[in-house]
Amino acid sequence: MLRIEDRDVPSSEPASRREFLTAGGLTAFGLSLPDIIRAAERPRHTTSTSFGRAKSCILLWMGGGPPQHETWDPKPDAPAEVRGEFKPIDTPIPGLRVGELMPRVAEQTPKLCVLRAMATGINAHSSSGYWVLTGVPHPRGDVEVAGQFMVNDWPCVGAMVNRLSPPRRGLPNVVTLPEQIINNPNDPWPGQTAGFLGRAWDPWLITCDPSKPNFALNEVAPPPDVSPLRFDERRSLLEQVNRHTDLLAAGDIGRYGANVQQAFDLLADRAARRAFDLMAEADRVRDRYGREKFGQSCLLARRLIEAGVRLVQVNWPREPGDTGSGNPLWDTHSKNAERLKKVLMPQMDRAYSALLEDLEQRGLLDETLVVWVGEFGRTPKINGSGGRDHWGRVFPAVLAGGGVKGGQVLGASDRIGSDPIDGRTRPEELTATIFHALGIQPDTEIRDPLGRPHPISRGDVIRKVF
């Protein structure tokens, strides 16, 4: 048997293209099938009850770089050009104050562990983001690398989870939505793919707008003119072609085969289709998340996790027509206060708090790790255009669920939010912590294209989080 599915393939039958590629891919970079099984089934640490507490993870990516001063690390005693026009507000946790534009999130702080001293020291969106998303610094350092992909790119966290989780049919293990991360005008970042592991392990990117009325995803909805019988006939025909073809290749062809099989699995699986059916949610629930693209994407992430997806990454979406200069996403180089107040913070405050509440009410929060983070923060001093610029020297990340001990702050920045003064956290420590929570040993080894062994994370688990 060549693949872990619900169907045995007798050894007398010729292997299909996909089966051949799947079997070959399992050992292509130092992880054999037994390695994957061992990684998934490795006994838990007897000294750590937090290992493997999370069955799944939702990664909320605040693309563009949210400001630390107006969110998780306000500086009310700093000069006006640093503290800005917004005041901090109290939370249920004594001593923990957050920006006044996040009142709903403030009420959720008993669930949250705030890391106030994340740092990369890099001010370029894509290279700092690469480090946060993979746990490995980009070799080019502090320069923009959007649109530049190399054969030795390090796999993102989602790709590692995809590779180290048991294969399944129906819904994929790892999903990214509602769009990929790009720099303007339309350059995707490295660090959000499987890199040297091979494209078959890329997170399943679903480009969609769940906020549209009567949202339906084409990827999981058969065409209306295709009956179940015709659908089965088409699938059978494709399987026969794959089984008898002698086209054995890797790269894009292998990725195509995996995608076709995944698409058929999604089309054929009723549970998968139900997971995407936002119309099944009560209006009050959809309204609580917010009817914007980000809010409905967070709701869709909850439904996917509930249906068994291992990791969902929700990228902060761009606004219509946003491919030029200006203030895309959280990149508030000008009119920072206005954009935060009118556009960014209301959506984030509503959707993030709704997600945490919803997961808790459904009994899912304790087994779902929720990570809030962006690629960097913003400059302490407001510039002449009323904005804040790129700042990788200190920025926040926030964890909840999955065994995380809420109501605490780890790390601190200086009096103007410029540099860490305690508990500096590097991205590799965040990735190690995510793997740990999901029951994947951070020291699990993979091999790069040259055959050299590497642990999937070189960081230490942030034990105080749990």
Side-chain angles (χ1 to χ4, degrees):
M1 186 166 107
L2 297 174
R3 55 184 173 183
I4 304 175
E5 293 188 352
D6 59 0
R7 177 178 71 89
D8 289 348
V9 180
S11 58
S12 59
E13 287 187 23
S16 71
R17 178 180 70 226
R18 183 171 183 272
E19 288 160 351
F20 179 92
L21 292 172
T22 301
L26 290 173
T27 57
F29 292 103
L31 278 174
S32 66
L33 183 56
D35 291 330
I36 293 175
I37 294 173
R38 280 195 296 270
E41 297 182 348
R42 187 173 296 178
R44 298 185 176 191
H45 293 294
T46 56
T47 59
S48 176
T49 58
S50 60
F51 182 76
R53 278 283 296 275
K55 294 180 181 178
S56 54
C57 174
I58 297 176
L59 172 58
L60 302 178
W61 182 256
M62 303 291 107
Q68 61 273 29
H69 300 80
E70 287 88 358
T71 56
W72 303 101
D73 196 9
K75 300 295 180 181
D77 298 325
E81 66 271 19
V82 171
R83 68 174 183 265
E85 65 180 70
F86 302 116
K87 298 178 181 179
I89 58 174
D90 292 329
T91 74
I93 305 303
L96 172 54
R97 308 180 83 192
V98 298
E100 67 173 272
L101 297 179
M102 40 199 292
R104 291 176 172 172
V105 169
E107 293 301 314
Q108 302 299 314
T109 51
K111 304 180 180 70
L112 306 178
C113 176
V114 180
L115 307 178
R116 278 184 171 164
M118 285 284 297
T120 62
I122 294 176
N123 295 330
H125 286 288
S126 51
S127 53
S128 190
Y130 179 99
W131 193 352
V132 178
L133 288 165
T134 66
V136 174
H138 194 278
R140 294 197 60 196
D142 194 1
V143 298
E144 288 293 351
V145 292
Q148 302 175 32
F149 296 87
M150 299 181 290
V151 295
N152 62 338
D153 279 341
W154 195 264
C156 65
V157 168
M160 290 291 196
V161 171
N162 200 15
R163 183 64 185 268
L164 294 170
S165 298
R168 53 178 302 183
R169 289 181 69 105
L171 284 164
N173 273 318
V174 180
V175 169
T176 298
L177 57 89
E179 58 196 51
Q180 67 179 162
I181 309 168
I182 64 168
N183 273 14
N184 288 333
N186 192 17
D187 293 328
W189 294 6
Q192 51 184 327
T193 70
F196 63 70
L197 287 178
R199 296 193 64 191
W201 303 107
D202 283 353
W204 185 264
L205 174 63
I206 298 177
T207 303
C208 61
D209 186 354
S211 68
K212 288 184 176 179
N214 301 318
F215 164 71
L217 200 64
N218 291 333
E219 289 92 331
V220 294
D225 62 335
V226 177
S227 67
L229 178 60
R230 288 182 63 197
F231 175 79
D232 289 340
E233 289 174 346
R234 290 184 181 184
R235 181 171 190 164
S236 177
L237 178 61
L238 181 63
E239 288 179 348
Q240 290 178 53
V241 170
N242 284 345
R243 183 172 292 114
H244 293 96
T245 185
D246 59 359
L247 179 61
L248 300 174
D252 288 341
I253 293 177
R255 172 66 172 168
Y256 172 79
N259 277 350
V260 168
Q261 183 65 49
Q262 183 76 74
F264 270 116
D265 288 346
L266 288 170
L267 288 166
D269 192 284
R270 290 184 179 180
R273 296 200 301 273
R274 283 198 301 270
F276 288 94
D277 183 12
L278 291 183
M279 298 297 290
E281 294 288 340
D283 283 343
R284 60 175 178 78
V285 175
R286 299 193 68 179
D287 292 342
R288 175 65 181 90
Y289 276 86
R291 294 285 181 157
E292 300 88 1
K293 195 172 183 178
F294 178 71
Q296 295 302 294
S297 294
C298 289
L299 174 55
L300 182 55
R302 188 224 81 203
R303 291 181 63 85
L304 292 173
I305 289 298
E306 205 167 21
V309 175
R310 188 92 159 110
L311 185 147
V312 181
Q313 179 172 322
V314 179
N315 294 330
W316 188 272
R318 288 174 175 259
E319 294 152 50
D322 179 13
T323 55
S325 59
N327 289 342
L329 309 169
W330 290 83
D331 198 21
T332 54
H333 289 285
S334 64
K335 299 181 179 179
N336 174 68
E338 178 181 338
R339 184 151 171 80
L340 290 175
K341 186 174 183 178
K342 292 183 178 181
V343 180
L344 298 168
M345 295 296 281
Q347 294 184 57
M348 189 279 290
D349 185 51
R350 184 164 48 241
Y352 181 36
S353 61
L355 176 64
L356 296 171
E357 285 181 348
D358 204 4
L359 288 170
E360 183 178 49
Q361 290 169 3
R362 291 170 178 271
L364 295 172
L365 185 60
D366 194 50
E367 60 186 41
T368 305
L369 178 69
V370 182
V371 181
W372 185 106
V373 70
E375 65 265 36
F376 46 46
R378 314 303 298 182
T379 50
K381 188 175 181 179
I382 297 171
N383 64 30
S385 299
R388 296 187 189 269
D389 301 314
H390 303 175
W391 198 255
R393 282 159 54 176
V394 70
F395 57 98
V398 187
L399 305 178
V404 169
K405 180 183 177 183
Q408 61 171 335
V409 175
L410 301 179
S413 66
D414 60 20
R415 68 180 189 87
I416 62 170
S418 173
D419 292 278
I421 57 173
D422 179 62
R424 177 174 179 166
T425 303
R426 295 185 180 273
E428 54 266 35
E429 295 172 283
L430 179 62
T431 62
T433 304
I434 293 172
F435 291 136
H436 172 87
L438 288 170
I440 300 172
Q441 298 281 16
D443 61 356
T444 300
E445 285 192 348
I446 57 173
R447 294 182 182 273
D448 65 19
L450 298 179
R452 298 171 299 190
H454 301 275
I456 60 174
S457 177
R458 294 189 182 278
D460 294 326
V461 175
I462 310 170
R463 302 286 175 179
K464 292 181 180 180
V465 162
F466 301 104

